[in-house]
Amino acid sequence: MDRRNPDRGYLDQPKLEVVDAALHRMPTDVRDLTEAAPPATTAASLAPTGGRVLGAANQALLTPSEPHLALWQACSTLRESRGDGHVAALVAVDLSPCEALVLFTADKGLDPAFMRQMRGWSEEEWRDAEASLTDRGLISDVLTPGRPAPRGDRRST
C-alpha cells in the first residue's frame, strides 16, 4: 500500500537541488547508485512509522525519479525513523535529553565539561541531570572523564 501523499510532492525544490549538487561533487559517479536505490526505497517504505513522526514525514514524501536522489531520500527516511526510535526509548525510560547525554558521556568515558559545552547545557542543568540520575541509582558520585557509569539494563531500539 502506498501511503505517500501526492499533495506533499517532493522535498522542496531548493533542498533537492542542493542535495543533487552535493552528491554530484562526491568522488563516486552517481550513476553507480542506480542498483542501490530500489532496495533502499523498499526498505524505507517498510520502516516503522508509528510514533516516529520524522520518519513518517520523510516516508510520506514522493520518491525522486533520479536514483541518487531516491537513495538519499530513502536513507533520510531510515535515519529519521531510527532516530525517532531512540527518542521513544529515552521517553519510555523517562530520561531527559540532558540526562541521556550525561549517561552517554559517562558510558564512553568522555569529558563532561566538553560534552556539556558542545551541546549547550548549562552547568546547573548538567548538575541537575547528574543528581537526578544519582537519585535514580543510574550513576554514582560525580562523573569524571575515563570513569564510565555502571552498565545496567540495556535495551536496544
Side-chain angles (χ1 to χ4, degrees):
M1 175 174 136
D2 189 354
R3 295 176 299 201
R4 294 175 297 178
N5 181 349
D7 294 332
R8 292 258 334 252
Y10 299 101
L11 290 170
D12 58 293
Q13 195 59 37
K15 185 184 229 179
L16 204 55
E17 289 170 7
V18 168
V19 168
D20 186 41
L23 291 174
H24 273 93
R25 286 193 302 270
M26 302 286 288
T28 301
D29 186 345
V30 294
R31 291 174 295 203
D32 292 341
L33 303 176
T34 302
E35 291 181 18
T41 299
T42 298
S45 73
L46 298 173
T49 56
R52 298 173 186 232
V53 294
L54 294 176
N58 273 273
Q59 193 181 70
L61 296 170
L62 293 176
T63 302
S65 58
E66 298 87 348
H68 64 289
L69 296 176
L71 179 60
W72 180 84
Q73 180 57 41
C75 290
S76 295
T77 299
L78 292 167
R79 180 190 66 245
E80 296 299 352
S81 178
R82 180 176 181 259
D84 288 343
H86 292 163
V87 171
L90 294 172
V91 168
V93 295
D94 196 28
L95 284 177
S96 72
C98 189
E99 290 170 338
L101 186 60
V102 168
L103 281 176
F104 175 81
T105 299
D107 183 55
K108 301 299 181 190
L110 303 173
D111 179 3
F114 175 78
M115 294 301 287
R116 181 188 56 73
Q117 182 182 10
M118 292 305 296
R119 295 299 182 151
W121 296 106
S122 71
E123 289 182 20
E124 180 182 3
E125 290 168 316
W126 194 270
R127 279 192 307 272
D128 289 348
E130 287 180 331
S132 172
L133 293 168
T134 301
D135 290 347
R136 292 164 63 184
L138 297 173
I139 60 172
S140 59
D141 301 326
V142 176
L143 302 176
T144 56
R147 196 171 101 210
R151 295 176 183 252
D153 182 20
R154 294 185 131 198
R155 297 181 179 117
S156 62
T157 57

